[in-house]
Amino acid sequence: MNEITGIRSAGIDNTFYLIAGEEELLATRTSFRQDAEEFEGNFYRLWSPVTSKLSSMIIKNMKIPLRRTSRVLYLGAASGTTVTHVSDIVSDGVVFAVEFAARPARDLLTAIEPRTNVIPIIADARYPEKYPPFIDRVDFLYQDVAQPDQAAIAVANAEKYLQKGGHIVIAIKARSISITEDPKAIFQREIDTLSSKFKVLETVSLEPLHKDHLAVLCRY
Amino acid sequence: MNEITGIRSAGIDNTFYLIAGEEELLATRTSFRQDAEEFEGNFYRLWSPVTSKLSSMIIKNMKIPLRRTSRVLYLGAASGTTVTHVSDIVSDGVVFAVEFAARPARDLLTAIEPRTNVIPIIADARYPEKYPPFIDRVDFLYQDVAQPDQAAIAVANAEKYLQKGGHIVIAIKARSISITEDPKAIFQREIDTLSSKFKVLETVSLEPLHKDHLAVLCRY
Amino acid sequence: MNVWFGEEAGDGWKIAGTTPEELAAYASRAESTRPTGSPDFERIAIDAGLCSSPAEYLRLMHDTAMLVARSRIQALLSARDADIVQSIKALDTIHDAYNEVSERLTEWYGIHYPDRKARPQEIITSILSLAPGEVPPGAPLTAGDIAAMQGFAKVAQALFDERKSLEQYIMACMDEVAPNLSDVLGPLLGARLIARAGGLERLAKLPAGSIQVMGAGEALFKHIREGTPSPKHGFIYRHPMISGAPKRLRGKMSRMIAGRATIAARVDAYSGERLDLGSDVRARATRLRGGQRRPKA
Amino acid sequence: MNVWFGEEAGDGWKIAGTTPEELAAYASRAESTRPTGSPDFERIAIDAGLCSSPAEYLRLMHDTAMLVARSRIQALLSARDADIVQSIKALDTIHDAYNEVSERLTEWYGIHYPDRKARPQEIITSILSLAPGEVPPGAPLTAGDIAAMQGFAKVAQALFDERKSLEQYIMACMDEVAPNLSDVLGPLLGARLIARAGGLERLAKLPAGSIQVMGAGEALFKHIREGTPSPKHGFIYRHPMISGAPKRLRGKMSRMIAGRATIAARVDAYSGERLDLGSDVRARATRLRGGQRRPKA
């Protein structure tokens, strides 16, 4: 990486573009120095849109209403790459990170070990009523699960934990729903399901970095 | 049985009503004296309509075109009760008696052992092309098989062995075709199949002696 | 082109024999390729010198057809025997497989539901009704685990169902081949004896004593080798009138039933008549049980 | 009503403990009956005296949740182990049942078609395509016989299909639980070792020598009892690189593969990293085979 020569806000708390040569690189300000870049006395962790759909959404200028104090329910935490950036962003908030697959969950625990604002929950996102009882309420629901019934999962979790007026950001993966059906038709059906409970504010395709993925922002 | 006091023709060669008291009993004139009644120097074997559908048809006045010289293909010979009467009737003809079930076929062989005009054929009536090659041609097809596809069996056998202008008499058993469907509907469907290849001349219900049975006479 | 007595060669008809036996041997194998036109076999036979009159033609055809029919019936019946032998073996195989599979299934189910004790059929039903997301009291279950267990349970169910179908098939075969034996012993036990003897006719040749101990196997060999008490019952022991009888009556009961089974097998093999030996057996069993009670005043 | 740190009693909140360990023990079992309204767990916890600041609340919840998560992951992984054990046993049962049933089927088919020799799958296909009325070269067939054989053949097919499904399930489990072991030995062989050891963690504790002879069973006991040559390979012998190797190389090959399998099992059990041990094994096998050839000039 070239030397960092400047910085500008990415429009979200603790989230910036680092200017390095001709590139602008998304990053989160962090209190964890490991793998972090220092610039003017602060530390920043680069956040690649290749491995993170949320990073991709921010770079595509979606208005993601995450704040320093947000209380986030994160479904599909996987091995924690994106979760740690959300943890950086909500420096005065909390992330309830739900993952069910044992193997990535092990990596998740390692990644969030020092981050007290991440609460791991090993459970199936399809059955929010069965989560261990850590979550009181959240104002932001982020979801990235590779399951067929993605919109229904978002609705079920929102109904149980999301405050009225809270936001939902969901990365819909068409190929997790059907590998034969036309992605457009799938997206439309999922958006219809979301619309039945939420107000859909914005939809953005994540192509070309994330093939057949659509990001949807809603308000509850 | 009362003493036989008189006799009258039943309208078919070798077939008579014996008058005994107030009863008239159907019988065939026979050259086999076993179990036969003697009357005026001839021998007669009583032919009960209870155990024989063909007897029933004759008593119900169907015009069965069997003659002394008929060449008969008899499908569903069973243990041979009716076959021996047909053998009596066609005293100068022949009966090809087809049966597939081994157990009744054994009884059939015993019954026809002395009757040179009965040719036993142990084969499945549904596949006339697989019969052993005894049959050259016949002019009368009689069928009484308890199989679902009765009309189709008659058609297949007629096409292979029956001379044009020959007759078909078939006892259709509704309950062999379907035990749930309405017998009337079944009979109509079978008659339709028969009509596609034959001219249907007469249909007679065999009730009450033979429940859900219909006799059909056709010409090829 | 061929008919029951021979075939048409280039230069006329080739007769396959002169006796019913020779002709039957030919007719049994002959393909039914009937000559075209409106054939008259009798005419052909007389012209070819097989016989000299219509009456003689008819007699020869009748006698030949009787032989063909007899051998065909024999083949059908021995095929039935062979199918009974095979299907009883198949039944045993399915029975063992079902037991193995359902035992395995019970154990697998048990790691997730250690608290539920149930019979295999109940466990199959429970597994087939598991819904994804269920949280069992034992080891956690993923949707994949449930699908795998359900696939396995379906095989158990298929084995169970097939056992019933085979039993029904065996019953139908027995009703055709050996209704009297079936009546005396029940179709499955009767079929087992036929299978062990290697066919109905072979079974019919055995004395009652052999039928009584058939299947006693090890116990019988031990009796011969080591002089232990002669076994009282083999397969026949499975008959509910024997296994359900008081111990002191079992010997007499199995002797009586073996005797009736022997008669039944012979009637089935040689006459084919349907007797009502079942009532006879029940009447004799009642007398046997009565004979052990105090005589009536 | 209860939350992760305790439950509401009649007269206020009852705290389940003060350390993360105590709280995790409670939270793991607690039903998720979230209080109605817009609850604020932090407020409740501070009021109840569990902690004195929001930061302290967060740390305690984090530490507790980490413990709950770890034990849940442990349970999931050991459930996976248990399912692997069960499914390998199920696979063996199905395998045996399929062999029995298809052998029986071949024999049954053979009485009707004595001339056709074929593999079980071909025989299943032939039976399923039998049409009523077919006249076989062997014993005659009725429509009932055909139906009975087809029912039996369908069970054979179901067993065959289930064997494939179970294999796929085991592969999926292995890919999740022990990808490295799967990579070195193949998923089925790897699963068999896990099953024999009684779980991945137990397998990971074994020395390479034990893994090499695991499953050698009788041969190993004989070696101990009677001093016959030590067995060179147990289950591992099924690895194509060993069974496919020249005889003189098999000992070395199985030692090498057992060594790599041991490392793979340990990585799977303790770190969970995905290494590319498969390439390593192939490279070592090539060297082993090369070492037996003439050295290059």
Side-chain angles (χ1 to χ4, degrees):
Chain A
M1 193 180 115
N2 290 324
E3 203 193 338
I4 300 168
T5 55
I7 191 165
R8 68 177 179 88
S9 169
I12 298 174
D13 290 351
N14 291 322
T15 311
F16 300 88
Y17 288 104
L18 301 181
I19 299 157
E22 301 203 334
E23 289 185 305
E24 292 200 331
L25 302 166
L26 195 68
T28 50
R29 188 154 59 192
T30 186
S31 47
F32 297 90
R33 300 189 178 186
Q34 209 194 346
D35 299 324
E37 309 285 331
E38 190 179 352
F39 181 69
E40 294 181 346
N42 286 313
F43 288 87
Y44 300 90
R45 292 170 58 245
L46 293 180
W47 190 10
S48 166
V50 177
T51 54
S52 169
K53 280 156 228 156
L54 184 53
S55 169
S56 222
M57 293 177 205
I58 294 169
I59 286 170
K60 289 205 166 204
N61 285 319
M62 276 183 87
K63 299 279 160 274
I64 307 292
L66 268 178
R67 261 183 286 279
R68 197 174 43 79
T69 55
S70 292
R71 303 176 60 81
V72 180
L73 175 54
Y74 191 121
L75 307 178
S79 54
T81 314
T82 301
V83 169
T84 58
H85 289 285
V86 177
S87 160
D88 284 341
I89 295 170
V90 302
S91 52
D92 293 323
V94 64
V95 185
F96 298 98
V98 177
E99 177 56 52
F100 193 34
R103 170 165 297 280
R106 266 199 305 206
D107 297 337
L108 172 68
L109 294 198
T110 307
I112 63 166
E113 178 77 66
R115 295 177 177 268
T116 55
N117 73 341
V118 183
I119 309 302
I121 291 180
I122 308 302
D124 190 335
R126 287 176 300 172
Y127 310 101
E129 67 284 1
K130 312 235 167 165
Y131 297 166
F134 289 102
I135 312 171
D136 40 7
R137 69 206 136 66
V138 299
D139 50 33
F140 192 96
L141 171 62
Y142 181 78
Q143 176 179 316
D144 178 13
V145 299
Q147 300 265 25
D149 41 1
Q150 294 170 19
I153 291 172
V155 168
N157 278 272
E159 288 186 334
K160 177 109 180 124
Y161 297 112
L162 188 63
Q163 287 185 313
K164 280 283 170 195
H167 288 86
I168 300 103
V169 170
I170 167 168
I172 301 176
K173 184 179 176 189
R175 293 181 66 83
S176 291
I177 293 171
S178 165
I179 55 165
T180 52
E181 212 181 330
D182 176 31
K184 279 209 184 67
I186 294 172
F187 290 146
Q188 191 52 55
R189 210 174 48 237
E190 295 295 295
I191 287 171
D192 289 347
T193 305
L194 293 170
S195 302
S196 70
K197 295 285 171 182
F198 310 139
K199 181 172 174 50
V200 175
L201 304 176
E202 192 179 0
T203 66
V204 173
S205 163
L206 297 183
E207 307 257 3
L209 281 183
H210 303 281
K211 198 168 166 350
D212 292 336
H213 275 81
L214 184 76
V216 183
L217 168 66
C218 315
R219 192 170 57 231
Y220 189 34
Chain B
M1 193 179 116
N2 289 324
E3 203 190 339
I4 300 167
T5 56
I7 192 165
R8 68 176 179 88
S9 168
I12 298 174
D13 290 352
N14 292 321
T15 310
F16 300 88
Y17 286 104
L18 301 181
I19 300 156
E22 304 202 331
E23 290 185 304
E24 292 201 331
L25 302 165
L26 194 68
T28 50
R29 188 154 62 193
T30 186
S31 47
F32 296 91
R33 299 188 178 186
Q34 211 195 345
D35 298 325
E37 308 285 331
E38 189 177 355
F39 182 69
E40 294 179 347
N42 285 313
F43 288 86
Y44 300 89
R45 292 169 60 244
L46 293 180
W47 190 8
S48 165
V50 176
T51 54
S52 170
K53 278 155 228 156
L54 185 53
S55 168
S56 220
M57 293 178 206
I58 293 168
I59 286 170
K60 288 206 164 203
N61 285 318
M62 275 182 88
K63 299 282 160 273
I64 306 292
L66 267 178
R67 261 183 288 276
R68 199 174 43 77
T69 55
S70 292
R71 303 176 58 81
V72 180
L73 175 55
Y74 190 120
L75 306 179
S79 53
T81 315
T82 301
V83 169
T84 57
H85 289 285
V86 177
S87 161
D88 284 341
I89 295 170
V90 302
S91 52
D92 293 322
V94 65
V95 184
F96 297 99
V98 177
E99 178 55 52
F100 192 35
R103 169 164 299 278
R106 267 200 305 207
D107 297 336
L108 171 69
L109 294 199
T110 306
I112 63 166
E113 178 79 65
R115 295 176 179 268
T116 55
N117 72 342
V118 183
I119 309 302
I121 291 180
I122 309 302
D124 191 334
R126 287 177 298 172
Y127 310 101
E129 67 284 1
K130 313 237 165 165
Y131 297 167
F134 290 103
I135 312 170
D136 38 7
R137 69 208 135 64
V138 300
D139 50 31
F140 191 97
L141 171 62
Y142 181 77
Q143 177 178 312
D144 177 14
V145 298
Q147 299 266 28
D149 42 359
Q150 294 170 19
I153 291 172
V155 169
N157 279 271
E159 288 186 334
K160 177 109 180 125
Y161 298 112
L162 188 63
Q163 286 185 314
K164 280 282 167 194
H167 288 86
I168 300 100
V169 170
I170 166 167
I172 300 176
K173 184 179 176 189
R175 293 180 66 82
S176 291
I177 293 172
S178 166
I179 54 164
T180 51
E181 212 181 331
D182 176 32
K184 280 210 185 69
I186 294 171
F187 290 146
Q188 192 51 56
R189 210 174 48 236
E190 295 295 293
I191 288 170
D192 289 347
T193 305
L194 294 169
S195 303
S196 70
K197 295 287 173 182
F198 310 138
K199 181 169 172 54
V200 175
L201 304 177
E202 193 180 357
T203 65
V204 173
S205 161
L206 297 183
E207 308 258 2
L209 283 184
H210 303 282
K211 195 169 168 349
D212 291 336
H213 275 80
L214 183 76
V216 183
L217 168 64
C218 315
R219 192 169 59 230
Y220 189 33
Chain C
M1 275 179 226
N2 60 22
V3 303
W4 64 275
F5 51 77
E7 60 191 56
E8 197 173 23
D11 52 351
W13 281 81
K14 193 164 158 267
I15 299 302
T18 52
T19 64
E21 287 72 18
E22 289 166 357
L23 291 164
Y26 175 78
S28 295
R29 291 189 324 269
E31 294 276 312
S32 181
T33 58
R34 193 156 140 280
T36 46
S38 193
D40 182 344
F41 292 1
E42 182 185 293
R43 182 80 270 138
I44 296 170
I46 292 175
D47 288 352
L50 178 67
C51 51
S52 52
S53 73
E56 204 185 315
Y57 173 79
L58 206 55
R59 170 165 298 283
L60 198 54
M61 174 158 69
H62 171 83
D63 292 352
T64 302
M66 289 293 284
L67 291 174
V68 172
R70 259 190 245 289
S71 90
R72 182 86 187 143
I73 290 171
Q74 192 53 50
L76 280 170
L77 289 175
S78 79
R80 284 251 129 303
D81 273 3
D83 285 317
I84 286 174
V85 172
Q86 291 303 325
S87 54
I88 273 284
K89 286 186 185 178
L91 184 66
D92 289 344
T93 302
I94 291 288
H95 182 84
D96 291 349
Y98 173 71
N99 284 347
E100 286 286 327
V101 167
S102 62
E103 195 181 308
R104 191 64 44 236
L105 194 65
T106 304
E107 193 181 314
W108 195 351
Y109 183 72
I111 66 173
H112 300 287
Y113 294 88
D115 49 333
R116 290 195 205 158
K117 295 279 166 272
R119 283 172 310 152
Q121 275 298 300
E122 292 162 359
I123 284 178
I124 290 171
T125 308
S126 302
I127 290 175
L128 292 179
S129 65
L130 284 180
E134 203 164 319
V135 177
L141 268 177
T142 66
D145 300 338
I146 290 176
M149 284 173 69
Q150 288 182 336
F152 197 53
K154 274 182 201 148
V155 165
Q157 187 61 48
L159 290 166
F160 186 83
D161 294 343
E162 176 59 13
R163 189 167 70 179
K164 275 200 244 167
S165 305
L166 277 172
E167 283 179 2
Q168 272 157 11
Y169 170 71
I170 293 168
M171 285 179 199
C173 287
M174 285 297 286
D175 191 58
E176 195 186 325
V177 173
N180 294 297
L181 188 64
S182 214
D183 195 16
V184 170
L185 297 179
L188 293 179
L189 185 50
R192 199 168 288 286
L193 290 184
I194 291 176
R196 176 57 65 101
L200 175 61
E201 310 245 324
R202 287 200 203 166
L203 183 69
K205 290 189 179 107
L206 294 178
S210 303
I211 288 181
Q212 193 186 342
V213 296
M214 188 176 261
E218 257 314 292
L220 185 61
F221 295 136
K222 222 175 160 187
H223 163 63
I224 295 165
R225 261 194 339 258
E226 304 172 24
T228 53
S230 156
K232 298 259 177 321
H233 25 59
F235 290 140
I236 274 196
Y237 183 79
R238 303 186 191 184
H239 194 294
M241 278 185 198
I242 303 174
S243 57
K247 265 210 176 121
R248 65 186 192 287
L249 275 183
R250 285 186 196 161
K252 279 188 185 178
M253 201 65 94
S254 70
R255 218 158 27 248
M256 181 274 283
I257 288 175
R260 296 291 101 182
T262 308
I263 292 169
R266 287 172 192 175
V267 173
D268 288 330
Y270 304 119
S271 98
E273 217 178 328
R274 264 171 205 260
L275 310 173
D276 185 8
L277 288 169
S279 319
D280 184 39
V281 165
R282 282 186 291 278
R284 282 167 189 266
T286 306
R287 277 206 297 282
L288 270 181
R289 282 190 292 261
Q292 297 297 110
R293 291 199 211 101
R294 210 157 18 120
K296 282 170 194 162
Chain D
M1 276 179 223
N2 60 21
V3 303
W4 65 273
F5 52 78
E7 60 190 57
E8 197 172 20
D11 52 351
W13 282 80
K14 193 163 157 268
I15 300 300
T18 52
T19 65
E21 288 72 19
E22 289 166 356
L23 292 164
Y26 175 79
S28 295
R29 293 189 323 270
E31 293 276 313
S32 181
T33 57
R34 191 156 141 280
T36 45
S38 192
D40 182 344
F41 292 0
E42 184 186 290
R43 180 80 271 137
I44 298 169
I46 291 175
D47 288 353
L50 178 67
C51 49
S52 53
S53 74
E56 203 185 320
Y57 174 79
L58 206 55
R59 169 163 301 281
L60 198 54
M61 174 160 67
H62 170 84
D63 292 350
T64 302
M66 288 294 283
L67 290 175
V68 172
R70 260 189 246 289
S71 90
R72 182 85 187 147
I73 289 171
Q74 192 52 47
L76 281 171
L77 289 175
S78 80
R80 285 250 130 304
D81 274 3
D83 285 316
I84 286 174
V85 171
Q86 291 303 323
S87 54
I88 274 282
K89 286 186 185 177
L91 183 67
D92 289 345
T93 301
I94 291 288
H95 182 84
D96 291 349
Y98 172 72
N99 283 347
E100 286 288 326
V101 168
S102 62
E103 195 181 307
R104 191 64 45 238
L105 195 65
T106 304
E107 193 180 314
W108 195 351
Y109 182 73
I111 66 174
H112 300 286
Y113 295 89
D115 49 334
R116 291 194 204 157
K117 295 279 167 275
R119 284 172 309 152
Q121 274 299 299
E122 292 162 359
I123 284 178
I124 290 172
T125 308
S126 302
I127 290 175
L128 292 178
S129 64
L130 284 179
E134 201 163 321
V135 177
L141 268 177
T142 67
D145 299 338
I146 290 177
M149 283 172 69
Q150 288 182 337
F152 197 53
K154 274 182 202 148
V155 165
Q157 187 62 48
L159 289 167
F160 185 82
D161 294 343
E162 176 59 12
R163 191 166 69 179
K164 275 200 246 170
S165 306
L166 277 173
E167 283 178 2
Q168 272 158 12
Y169 171 70
I170 293 168
M171 285 179 200
C173 287
M174 284 296 286
D175 191 57
E176 196 186 327
V177 174
N180 295 296
L181 188 64
S182 212
D183 195 16
V184 170
L185 297 179
L188 294 179
L189 186 48
R192 199 167 288 286
L193 291 184
I194 290 176
R196 176 56 67 99
L200 175 62
E201 308 245 325
R202 286 200 205 167
L203 183 69
K205 289 190 179 107
L206 294 177
S210 303
I211 289 181
Q212 192 185 345
V213 295
M214 187 177 259
E218 258 312 293
L220 184 62
F221 295 137
K222 223 174 161 188
H223 162 63
I224 295 166
R225 261 194 339 258
E226 303 170 24
T228 53
S230 156
K232 297 259 178 321
H233 26 57
F235 290 138
I236 274 197
Y237 183 79
R238 304 184 190 186
H239 195 293
M241 278 185 198
I242 301 173
S243 56
K247 268 210 175 124
R248 66 184 191 288
L249 276 184
R250 285 186 195 161
K252 279 188 186 177
M253 201 66 95
S254 69
R255 217 157 28 246
M256 183 274 285
I257 288 175
R260 296 291 100 182
T262 309
I263 292 170
R266 288 173 192 173
V267 174
D268 288 330
Y270 304 119
S271 99
E273 216 177 328
R274 266 172 205 258
L275 309 174
D276 185 8
L277 286 169
S279 320
D280 183 40
V281 165
R282 282 185 293 277
R284 282 166 190 267
T286 307
R287 276 205 297 283
L288 270 180
R289 281 190 294 261
Q292 297 297 111
R293 292 198 212 103
R294 208 157 20 118
K296 281 169 195 161

